[in-house]
Amino acid sequence: MTDETNSYDVVILGGGSGGYAAAFRATELGLSVALIEKDKLGGTCLHRGCIPTKALLHAGEVADLAREGEQFGVQVGFNGIDMKGVNAYKDSVVSRLFRGLQGLFKANKVTVFEGEGRLVGPTTVEVNGQRVTGRNLILATGSYSKSLPGLDVDGERVITSEHALNLDHVPSSVVILGGGVIGCEFASAWKSFGVDVTIIEALPRLLPPEDEQSSKALERAFRKRGITFKTGKPFETVERTDSGVKITIQGGETFEAELLLVAVGRGPTTANLGYEEQGLNMERGFVLTDDRLRTNLPNVYAVGDIVPGLQLAHRGFGHGIFVAEEIAGLNPAPIDENGIPRITYTSPEVSSVGLTEARARELYGDGVQTLTYDLAGNGKSQILKTSGFVKLVRAPEGPVVGVHMVGDRISELSSEAQLIYNWEAFPAEVAQLIHPHPTQSEGLGEAHLALAGKPLHVHG
């Protein structure tokens, strides 16, 4: 019989964005919570993903500003990148956030078991020889960097994003396998550091899930920045050379570089955790759930990257809160996955919420309306010397169902874009809101004014 002290209302396997959000919300709602984490609380996002990557990207932005200060009338010099200093800055950001998170675990009175957990019963996890049972179980085991068959990641010349975040020097050249979010973000940061970068993407364009107009805009910007990319060309082989690696793509074209970064996406961390043995419904390693994030096992839920869909920290965070409220009987509204903001923190940034134009036309037919507002007409964008656009996709005579944006710092507009999509706003409703001047948010306002039939600074 399970020891009474190891019985809880909620047991959570995994302490990343989804797991800790569920833990904190559940304790707020008066439930007793145990969380099992084999590594550090905060998971991939805090330690090996979002936070350290964005710190690198910001360091790259500072490097670009130092190089280009003259165009703003500022006399500065660029003397190079000190990777020791960059890593110290990056690590200090992570460690401050980690300390804060540890404090929140104490404040919320979450019982944490450090160690590798494994499912040994419908809602029982074994960790360090102890059994922890919950009335409810939340699976939040996250994801890992995938590779390709026949591609041996050695952590030295062939690396993943985790290795890339801990490089102690600036490589002279890198080939990046994969033109999705991770590949494009590293390409952007490394180019700012002075690295010779080439991206290989098997699909026809960079950022394949984004609206085609956004992909094309990023491709133009990357060409201008001197980032080389080959799209529609699958990788074939890699071999070690005296100076690094030699990569061959379909058609026989070869590329040589110091490093190969494998950025072909992330897979669900679900193997060897007892999931299959307990009869959990799974597909390609992902845990299948309904729209209330329930698995096929009673009182067992799954959240975040192990659930098919977007692999985003803030999606896991939203899932965690939802499931805690579901367990507490609050009957929360299901999450519309299309309404989750998607951001690629390149230079320029790419941000979107809702449907692409192509998807909207599939669903609604030829009556779909689109409007693109060029940031050339936006005062703040001119001050920042950034180009890009705000593109709206509208259902026939209906609400705005897609917002797509490209430009430096444009990610800050994703929250308003999310409200527009999720509250099913009509163009005329957004048009009557007053956007502060001078900000890039005026781009959203101008686009909706135009789509509502009363263009101010835009025609067409």
Side-chain angles (χ1 to χ4, degrees), residues 299-363:
N299 304 318
V300 178
Y301 301 81
V303 301
D305 286 2
I306 62 171
V307 178
L310 298 166
Q311 290 179 310
L312 300 168
H314 49 281
R315 173 181 179 250
F317 195 80
H319 278 182
I321 293 170
F322 174 90
V323 169
E325 294 182 351
E326 176 79 356
I327 288 169
L330 300 186
N331 195 30
I335 293 168
D336 178 356
E337 297 266 324
N338 290 318
I340 300 171
R342 307 174 291 272
I343 302 167
T344 306
Y345 293 88
T346 40
S347 177
E349 292 179 341
V350 179
S351 178
S352 63
V353 180
L355 307 179
T356 63
E357 179 181 347
R359 181 67 181 133
R361 292 197 185 283
E362 280 177 24
L363 290 176

Side-chain angles (χ1 to χ4, degrees), residues 48-265:
R48 301 176 298 281
C50 332
I51 298 298
T53 310
K54 276 52 181 183
L56 277 191
L57 283 158
H58 183 63
E61 184 184 358
V62 173
D64 287 334
L65 286 171
R67 281 192 199 92
E68 300 159 6
E70 207 169 293
Q71 65 176 305
F72 301 100
V74 180
Q75 299 294 323
V76 289
F78 175 72
N79 298 317
I81 300 292
D82 167 24
M83 274 315 291
K84 189 177 178 183
V86 170
N87 285 331
Y89 152 67
K90 165 179 66 73
D91 295 343
S92 71
V93 172
V94 172
S95 63
R96 277 199 303 275
L97 290 170
F98 182 42
R99 283 196 302 274
L101 186 61
Q102 287 172 309
L104 286 170
F105 267 92
K106 288 191 179 77
N108 281 284
K109 296 184 171 58
V110 176
T111 303
V112 177
F113 290 84
E114 293 180 14
E116 189 158 353
R118 180 183 166 81
L119 221 54
V120 293
T123 59
T124 299
V125 177
E126 187 169 271
V127 55
N128 301 330
Q130 296 184 74
R131 293 200 166 199
V132 187
T133 298
R135 285 195 304 109
N136 300 275
L137 175 67
I138 302 174
L139 304 174
T141 42
S143 60
Y144 65 93
S145 291
K146 286 199 300 191
S147 186
L148 293 175
L151 190 55
D152 178 30
V153 174
D154 61 14
E156 292 175 4
R157 293 187 185 179
V158 181
I159 63 174
T160 65
S161 57
E162 285 89 342
H163 303 118
L165 286 168
N166 293 307
L167 289 178
D168 59 3
H169 69 290
V170 178
S172 58
S173 57
V174 181
V175 169
I176 298 174
L177 192 55
V181 173
I182 296 170
C184 286
E185 287 186 351
F186 272 101
S188 190
W190 274 330
K191 188 63 185 178
S192 298
F193 287 176
V195 180
D196 182 9
V197 179
T198 301
I199 303 171
I200 307 296
E201 170 55 55
L203 293 172
R205 54 189 169 91
L206 299 182
L207 300 183
E210 291 293 343
D211 190 84
E212 189 170 354
Q213 201 169 329
S214 297
S215 290
K216 295 300 179 194
L218 184 67
E219 289 178 357
R220 280 195 301 275
F222 272 13
R223 276 191 207 99
K224 199 171 174 183
R225 292 183 61 195
I227 296 171
T228 304
F229 53 89
K230 291 283 180 180
T231 55
K233 296 286 186 181
F235 157 87
E236 288 193 341
T237 61
V238 59
E239 57 187 276
R240 274 69 174 168
T241 65
D242 292 341
S243 57
V245 288
K246 181 179 178 182
I247 293 94
T248 305
I249 63 172
Q250 192 179 71
E253 193 173 358
T254 61
F255 302 86
E256 294 200 39
E258 182 184 332
L259 297 173
L260 172 64
L261 171 66
V262 181
V264 293

Side-chain angles (χ1 to χ4, degrees), residues 441-454:
S441 73
E442 290 175 284
L444 270 173
E446 295 277 358
H448 284 85
L449 277 164
L451 200 50
K454 44 183 182 181

Side-chain angles (χ1 to χ4, degrees), residues 397-413:
E397 302 303 315
V400 172
V401 294
V403 181
H404 305 275
M405 303 178 286
V406 177
D408 289 339
R409 305 194 188 178
I410 210 78
S411 61
E412 299 297 337
L413 302 188

